[in-house]
Amino acid sequence: MAACTRGLKNLLTSIKFCRTLQFQDERFLCTSALRFANNEPPKFVPPSKPVIINKTQTTASTRRFLSPEFIPPRGRTDPFKYFMERRDMVRRRKALNIPEFYVGSILAVTMADANASGKTNRFVGICIQRGGRGLGATFVLRNILNGQGVEICYELYSPRIQTIEVLKLEKRLDSNLMYLRDALPEYSTVDPEMKPVPFSPTGEVPVNKLKVKMCPKPWSKHWERPQFAIQGIRFDLCMTPKQMEFVQKKYAKPWEEYDMLKEYDTSKLEEQIFAEVQQEMNK
Amino acid sequence: MAASGWRFVLHRGSRFILSRTTVESSSQLVGCIRTVKIPTWFEEHLTEDNQKYMRHSMAEEYRRQTAEKLCPLKDEPWPRHEWTEGSRRVGLVAIKLGMAPIWTKSGERHAVTMLQVQDCHVIRCTSKEEYDGRSAALAVGGKNVSPFYRSEKAMELFRNAGVPPKQKVTIFKVSDNAIIKPGTPLYAAHFRPGQYVDVTAKSIGKGFQGVMKRWGFKGQPASHGQTKTHRRPGASGPGGDPAKVFKGKKMPGKMGNVFVTAYGLKIWRVNTKYNVLYVHGSVPGHTNCVLKVRDTVLPTRRSTLLNPPFPTYFTEEEGDLDEDLYSDDLFVHTEPSVTLS
């Protein structure tokens, strides 16, 4: 056994030697040729760098998302005022991570509260509305606890907010889900002990095309009217098509799409602000 | 600006006699034409190239003038005195940018108005004797405007001071030890956080308004027999004894567009780089209106004014202040979240 291995080893070493010899010969040949040509040492060619992929670092979202409160409203205010506010907003975002979320996502917010035990309280709910611009931006979370519907309006930049986590990131068919107040309770119930649902930081945000069943009328607002433009309600279960058509026709404002004073194209402004905010955040 | 004159027109007239206002005999007075004398604006008789050149040269002139005045302590400033109790210092002219929320260290939310001090210069100094015999006065000007639509008489004031023409010129009554040489620039760092100020501005004009909006009268009920009386003032006074309506009776009239002062507003934050003041609560006037800001007159807030920059804040002398000066109890956004205990 030992003899075999020894023999094998000798064989291997001899092969290696031969190989190196061969290589040496080639190298020797090549270098000797150069030497013959230039009378200089051969140029050092560094080996190609290996690409290091750091998998431990949390991948920041590569989705291009600008939070809606950065976009200034249309008005006669000096853009300089919004610039000053944006600086403060970016400073706050560097201290507290405010994640990307949409209306319809499920969030958990922990806030400092002097009257609660442990001085913090945690609330989990579905985001039904994002309002306000600048530092006063707010979002409303809704949940049903012990049969009682609870809505809390949080200010994004308030110093009392300690963490905001997105448990489930998704969009809905509407940008305002206030109609959940008149919908069946099952659509507003969110489990407070819910585990975060993993979502990919790249690609499109999933749109939940859920159509919600409503409680019997009367509702808090006439959600069927065209001014709300709600896509996420099962109107076919609440009203007849004739009633729906009547309401759509009576309260329609067909001239609004031609109203030039209501036009507000924010695309260029959005791009500028996005570039500015990205630059500030990466400093 | 435009002045109108009455002109005499003679019958069969090819001759026009310019006269003052007195009317002579009726035979001569056949027709009177009221004319409006519009002075020539700078653009009227200039070619386009020249107009562009004028605007360009005006901008250059402004820049040169502001640059000249940037170091007031270097070119023969007037003697500076120390701050004493009871001395009044100058104020500033600022522009209302808008409102924003702020939070204190205990998590309470307040609303503040942002005021920006743009191109504030001292225009003229009137000594005690010239002004009213009690205190000296300093005329301070605010936002820069174009010289082309201002009369020569107005421009004279600015030319003497060597500053570009301003939109608003206000007078601050000042104690004798706080007078400043005309042409000195004034900055937002003149006020410090924690101090209280009074802000004066013209309130938003509402036009002719009824008594309910203007004075807060209750009006009358909407139904139960009221005939055509829902927003009327009702009774106008006692009755037979005075048998008159007293002077100053609250009645409908033009509302707003008058100077209103908001007293005792706390300064939460001062941005020295962009010259922005964050002042507590709301302030009269519309956005982008020009305001007059001065130290409070309220006796209970006088103790907060300890060792202010006197007579004003000079950039060269006080060295580099931080870009943002915060009040002690203000929450700064770079700090971590507040934990209440």
Side-chain angles (χ1 to χ4, degrees):
Chain A
M1 189 71 176
C4 286
T5 50
R6 215 189 307 127
L8 197 66
K9 229 183 175 174
N10 283 340
L11 187 65
L12 283 170
T13 44
S14 61
I15 288 171
K16 265 195 209 155
F17 183 67
C18 290
R19 225 189 292 141
T20 47
L21 209 65
Q22 185 192 44
F23 280 137
Q24 204 158 24
D25 283 342
E26 282 174 5
R27 254 184 280 143
F28 187 63
L29 199 65
C30 144
T31 51
S32 62
L34 278 174
R35 237 175 234 175
F36 194 66
N38 298 333
N39 220 14
E40 273 168 22
K43 230 177 161 187
F44 170 66
V45 177
S48 60
K49 277 197 188 148
V51 178
I52 305 168
I53 304 168
N54 193 350
K55 288 204 180 109
T56 51
Q57 199 185 50
T58 47
T59 45
S61 176
T62 50
R63 234 192 319 261
R64 208 193 138 93
F65 172 70
L66 181 67
S67 214
E69 71 267 7
F70 281 102
I71 302 161
R74 190 176 57 154
R76 293 168 74 165
T77 337
D78 201 351
F80 173 71
K81 185 242 178 189
Y82 297 123
F83 166 73
M84 295 295 285
E85 265 194 310
R86 254 177 275 138
R87 275 165 29 126
D88 280 334
M89 283 152 78
V90 163
R91 277 181 201 142
R92 178 73 185 142
R93 274 176 182 255
K94 283 188 184 161
L96 169 74
N97 172 41
I98 297 176
E100 168 193 356
F101 66 98
Y102 302 87
V103 167
S105 326
I106 297 177
L107 306 187
V109 174
T110 41
M111 197 170 84
D113 186 358
N115 305 320
S117 59
K119 303 301 168 196
T120 53
N121 64 17
R122 181 173 188 264
F123 186 75
V124 177
I126 183 170
C127 175
I128 55 174
Q129 179 185 275
R130 281 189 80 159
R133 295 284 178 270
L135 280 169
T138 55
F139 62 101
V140 181
L141 293 184
R142 178 181 167 83
N143 199 351
I144 299 191
L145 303 170
N146 294 10
Q148 174 64 50
V150 176
E151 283 180 18
I152 303 187
C153 176
Y154 291 101
E155 287 177 320
L156 272 172
Y157 297 95
S158 167
R160 284 173 64 190
I161 292 190
Q162 324 232 291
T163 48
I164 305 179
E165 353 162 358
V166 175
L167 299 177
K168 188 172 184 192
L169 181 71
E170 64 176 9
K171 279 194 205 180
R172 289 276 264 247
L173 291 170
D174 312 300
S175 59
N176 196 309
L177 297 179
M178 284 294 181
Y179 56 81
L180 290 179
R181 292 170 179 169
D182 299 314
L184 297 175
E186 69 206 43
Y187 296 102
S188 313
T189 345
V190 174
D191 177 22
E193 257 60 71
M194 186 174 142
K195 292 276 170 298
V197 167
F199 55 88
S200 77
T202 53
E204 286 288 323
V205 175
V207 179
N208 188 353
K209 295 202 191 320
L210 175 65
K211 290 218 174 198
V212 138
K213 293 196 186 116
M214 302 291 274
C215 289
K217 273 191 161 187
W219 298 329
S220 58
K221 295 244 185 304
H222 300 277
W223 301 114
E224 70 276 8
R225 289 191 185 171
Q227 68 189 91
F228 297 109
I230 290 181
Q231 306 293 319
I233 297 183
R234 287 287 303 273
F235 287 118
D236 50 330
L237 298 175
C238 331
M239 323 161 59
T240 59
K242 226 175 164 181
Q243 277 176 329
M244 191 66 190
E245 202 192 296
F246 171 77
V247 158
Q248 289 285 324
K249 197 170 154 196
K250 177 167 182 192
Y251 298 101
K253 292 185 187 163
W255 56 86
E256 262 190 354
E257 67 173 291
Y258 304 107
D259 192 346
M260 289 169 80
L261 284 182
K262 290 209 167 117
E263 283 171 9
Y264 186 39
D265 184 22
T266 48
S267 46
K268 285 206 187 82
L269 204 58
E270 244 187 79
E271 273 164 48
Q272 267 173 18
I273 294 173
F274 181 74
E276 187 189 318
V277 167
Q278 283 291 91
Q279 207 184 30
E280 289 286 308
M281 288 295 290
N282 293 338
K283 267 192 193 164
Chain B
M1 250 319 299
S4 68
W6 288 94
R7 285 201 296 174
F8 245 121
V9 177
L10 274 185
H11 196 44
R12 283 177 224 120
S14 48
R15 276 188 359 181
F16 298 92
I17 304 171
L18 215 77
S19 131
R20 292 302 267 354
T21 39
T22 47
V23 171
E24 267 116 74
S25 63
S26 52
S27 58
Q28 276 185 320
L29 175 63
V30 180
C32 254
I33 304 172
R34 188 168 68 149
T35 55
V36 177
K37 279 194 278 232
I38 306 170
T40 311
W41 296 135
F42 88 107
E43 290 175 333
E44 212 174 304
H45 303 301
L46 293 178
T47 57
E48 255 202 47
D49 282 341
N50 285 350
Q51 281 172 27
K52 251 173 36 189
Y53 172 74
M54 284 293 281
R55 286 191 213 277
H56 181 70
S57 70
M58 174 202 91
E60 289 281 325
E61 178 78 13
Y62 277 16
R63 256 169 292 192
R64 191 186 58 80
Q65 280 176 338
T66 24
E68 262 175 28
K69 305 290 175 189
L70 272 178
C71 315
L73 282 179
K74 295 220 176 99
D75 41 39
E76 303 126 24
W78 289 355
R80 297 178 55 197
H81 307 270
E82 284 298 310
W83 178 78
T84 55
E85 279 275 347
S87 50
R88 280 185 302 183
R89 53 182 195 143
V90 94
L92 304 174
V93 175
I95 293 178
K96 175 174 170 178
L97 291 180
M99 295 186 74
I102 46 150
W103 288 270
T104 56
K105 288 201 162 94
S106 51
E108 282 155 16
R109 182 190 197 265
H110 298 291
V112 288
T113 316
M114 293 159 65
L115 310 180
Q116 187 181 29
V117 179
Q118 286 180 8
D119 314 308
C120 198
H121 286 96
V122 176
I123 307 285
R124 183 180 54 184
C125 174
T126 341
S127 67
K128 192 156 83 164
E129 295 75 38
E130 285 165 26
Y131 188 62
D132 67 349
R134 280 189 226 186
S135 59
L138 282 177
V140 174
K143 201 164 132 181
N144 280 355
V145 278
S146 134
F148 302 129
Y149 302 98
R150 295 268 176 314
S151 63
E152 275 302 312
K153 200 170 128 208
M155 288 301 291
E156 201 184 297
L157 191 66
F158 301 112
R159 213 171 296 127
N160 289 347
V163 291
K166 307 288 182 190
Q167 185 175 327
K168 184 175 173 84
V169 177
T170 42
I171 300 204
F172 290 97
K173 288 220 280 273
V174 153
S175 53
D176 286 326
N177 54 354
I179 50 173
I180 308 174
K181 185 177 174 188
T184 328
L186 301 172
Y187 300 102
H190 178 82
F191 294 117
R192 293 297 157 90
Q195 182 188 347
Y196 288 79
V197 286
D198 295 339
V199 178
T200 312
K202 266 208 164 168
S203 57
I204 299 178
K206 312 270 182 202
F208 195 102
Q209 288 298 337
V211 106
M212 277 178 83
K213 191 179 184 72
R214 195 177 184 215
W215 299 114
F217 282 18
K218 278 183 75 170
Q220 290 82 28
S223 68
H224 290 300
Q226 313 293 317
T227 34
K228 308 198 302 186
T229 315
H230 307 289
R231 299 182 67 94
R232 296 182 74 187
S236 61
D241 190 12
K244 68 172 187 174
V245 176
F246 292 123
K247 274 200 197 299
K249 172 85 190 64
K250 292 181 178 175
M251 284 186 165
K254 290 255 163 63
M255 179 183 170
N257 202 28
V258 286
F259 284 107
V260 171
T261 312
Y263 294 97
L265 303 178
K266 179 171 171 178
I267 294 205
W268 284 100
R269 179 175 162 184
V270 175
N271 185 312
T272 44
K273 186 176 167 198
Y274 295 105
N275 281 326
V276 179
L277 296 167
Y278 288 68
V279 137
H280 186 87
S282 58
V283 131
H286 53 89
T287 28
N288 304 325
C289 80
V290 194
L291 329 144
K292 175 177 172 178
V293 189
R294 59 140 206 252
D295 295 326
T296 323
V297 120
L298 299 176
T300 43
R301 301 290 188 203
R302 278 235 302 266
S303 52
T304 50
L305 195 68
L306 299 160
N307 284 329
F310 196 82
T312 185
Y313 166 76
F314 294 107
T315 25
E316 314 83 32
E317 189 221 49
E318 298 197 31
D320 295 301
L321 283 181
D322 296 328
E323 190 192 325
D324 270 302
L325 301 168
Y326 299 97
S327 174
D328 292 325
D329 42 351
L330 183 61
F331 171 77
V332 183
H333 292 289
T334 42
E335 287 165 13
S337 299
V338 146
T339 36
L340 303 172
S341 49

